[in-house]
Amino acid sequence: MSFIDNLIANVIRDDVRANSAYVVPDSSGLIKLDAMENPYELPRALREELARRLADAVLNRYPMASYASLKEKVSATLGIPAGYDVLLGNGSDELIQIVATTVANQKRRATILAPVPAFVMYSRSAQFAGADFVGVKLKPDFSLDMDAMLAAIALHQPAVVFLAYPNNPTGNLFASEDIETIIRALGDKGIAVLDEAYQPFARHTFMDRLDEFENLVVMRTVSKLGLAGIRLGYMTAAPQLLAEFEKVRPPYNVNVLTQVAAEFVLDHVEVLDAQAASINAERERLTPELAALAGVEVFPSAANFISLRVPDAADVCAKLLAEKVLIKNLSKMHPSLANCIRVTVSTPEENSAFLNSLKAALAPA
Ligand code: PMP
């Protein structure tokens, strides 16, 4: 073995060596419908004003570690209830990691549980934090299997249960009574993290239930709202609990450019809300059109994407790619997603391009 192979064998964790890096496909020149981004840019006048604000950003200093003004803006414009502080992350990806790291390490084994199929960062972050990950299979219609969830909670006593609301990659909202039952079952033995990344489209939230449940964390992001590039996530919970997560947050995890951009754009959040509303209208247009296609099963979505089952997902994805349309093949993610694909809802033009390419891909040769 070479020096570098020996070095890696000697120092890198076995489970890290066995893993592979998160794959993001190259999308240059493609209609990009694989990552649940908002297709709309900010209006030109706002972008020009943003450029002026960014020109004044103080790049030679570290950010203000308290992030007081950004937190205030997030709280005021994104619906944080009075009396609750927020913790900011470099995307909610980082917040998921912070939660996992706060409850577990190699010495203090802990279980992190989520219904599956789920957002892949729950299990990855659990693993890298040294926690055991338990996935509890959703029912075939992707609703929560409450018997299995409650049995798994009793058996594994998870420190954290992640629930994406709506769920990614399936798009559905779990029943709020089921979520309440899970939060109560965890009691003071476990934290329920409601990941509301797709809240701008679902318009359902547990944010107003924080007073009721002291073991509830509500996590969100500005990514799906139209600011995926700036990487900003936020979460809130009972102040004492949030203070524990705060100890694990790297002090300058949100950079000054993000801070300036977010504070400016959130003053115009109505622009992003209007974009989300047109994406929702497009989802409502697209869903019945997809459901009408022979051989296609569409899963109801409250998010800015639609998941569907087709006769041959690999074939469909390859044919769409040949038409320069990039979507996500979910087949390998979980056995219950065999031949499922996921498409981001985009502009009317891009959605029609997808629909036409899909129709052609499904047509008999
Ligand atoms: N939670 C869910 C359910 C997601 O689908 C995603 C991104 N696809 C994230 C969190 C992470 O979002 P971000 O890091 O961009 O805030």
Side-chain angles (χ1 to χ4, degrees):
M1 283 220 300
S2 68
F3 180 90
I4 197 73
D5 289 340
N6 278 327
L7 177 68
I8 288 168
N10 286 334
V11 303
I12 305 296
R13 281 163 45 173
D14 294 347
D15 64 319
V16 171
R17 282 157 59 207
N19 214 319
S20 40
Y22 190 97
V23 179
V24 179
D26 182 11
S27 59
S28 23
L30 302 178
I31 298 181
K32 190 173 187 315
L33 304 177
D34 66 329
M36 287 81 81
E37 291 143 329
N38 174 349
Y40 299 104
E41 294 183 340
L42 287 175
R44 159 97 13 220
L46 286 187
R47 280 157 62 192
E48 283 170 3
E49 178 58 24
L50 172 61
R52 283 190 283 277
R53 302 283 179 103
L54 289 173
D56 289 336
V58 182
L59 300 186
N60 57 317
R61 302 283 180 201
Y62 287 107
M64 290 288 281
S66 72
Y67 294 106
S69 59
L70 177 54
K71 283 182 181 180
E72 222 168 87
K73 190 70 73 185
V74 165
S75 298
T77 53
L78 298 174
I80 306 295
Y84 287 87
D85 194 5
V86 287
L87 190 152
L88 304 175
N90 189 329
S92 46
D93 279 346
E94 187 186 40
L95 297 176
I96 294 166
Q97 219 169 20
I98 289 174
V99 169
T101 311
T102 307
V103 299
N105 64 21
Q106 301 285 355
K107 275 188 252 155
R108 185 189 193 278
R109 296 308 295 184
T111 295
I112 293 181
L113 185 145
V116 288
F119 181 42
V120 64
M121 292 312 290
Y122 305 152
S123 55
R124 282 180 81 92
S125 296
Q127 181 201 339
F128 295 136
D132 296 316
F133 179 79
V134 172
V136 178
K137 220 170 128 207
L138 292 169
K139 289 187 173 168
D141 67 355
F142 298 139
S143 62
L144 287 166
D145 182 339
M146 285 304 286
D147 290 342
M149 283 297 284
L150 294 176
I153 288 170
L155 178 66
H156 299 286
Q157 301 247 320
V160 173
V161 173
F162 281 106
L163 295 164
Y165 185 68
N167 191 39
N168 173 20
T170 58
N172 57 313
L173 278 167
F174 299 135
S176 57
E177 313 81 69
D178 287 349
I179 295 176
E180 285 166 33
T181 305
I182 290 169
I183 301 173
R184 290 209 174 87
L186 290 169
D188 64 4
K189 300 273 191 331
I191 296 165
V193 177
L194 263 275
D195 178 348
E196 298 189 348
Y198 300 96
Q199 185 274 340
F201 311 96
R203 313 277 163 97
H204 280 69
T205 182
F206 268 69
M207 198 63 99
D208 51 3
R209 311 291 296 274
L210 286 161
D211 280 347
E212 227 174 301
F213 303 114
E214 286 184 300
N215 60 335
L216 172 63
V217 171
V218 179
M219 181 182 284
R220 289 190 190 161
T221 174
V222 299
S223 293
K224 314 299 167 184
L225 198 55
L227 299 172
I230 72 171
R231 311 302 299 125
L232 181 67
Y234 56 102
M235 66 178 183
T236 185
Q240 304 91 321
L241 185 55
L242 208 64
E244 298 300 323
F245 294 126
E246 184 65 30
K247 296 175 191 172
V248 177
R249 182 184 65 81
Y252 306 116
N253 61 333
V254 175
N255 73 77
V256 290
L257 297 173
T258 295
Q259 192 176 345
V260 170
E263 284 185 31
F264 172 69
V265 179
L266 289 178
D267 271 338
H268 304 277
V269 73
E270 70 287 348
V271 174
L272 305 180
D273 285 339
Q275 293 173 347
S278 31
I279 290 167
N280 268 358
E282 274 296 291
R283 184 188 67 215
E284 297 313 305
R285 170 180 81 93
L286 212 50
T287 303
E289 293 214 41
L290 291 169
L293 300 178
V296 170
E297 182 187 2
V298 179
F299 301 105
S301 170
N304 64 339
F305 61 87
I306 302 173
S307 294
L308 44 147
R309 180 167 283 123
V310 293
D312 184 341
D315 179 63
V316 162
C317 289
K319 286 179 172 158
L320 288 181
L321 200 55
E323 298 296 316
K324 302 216 172 305
V325 178
L326 179 65
I327 61 165
K328 176 93 174 174
N329 184 353
L330 302 175
S331 304
K332 293 212 183 86
M333 207 180 262
H334 192 265
S336 63
L337 294 171
N339 283 320
C340 288
I341 58 175
R342 185 187 66 198
V343 61
T344 308
V345 180
S346 184
T347 60
E349 298 72 33
E350 291 196 346
N351 296 334
S352 297
F354 160 71
L355 194 59
N356 291 335
S357 307
L358 179 66
K359 283 181 186 162
L362 293 171

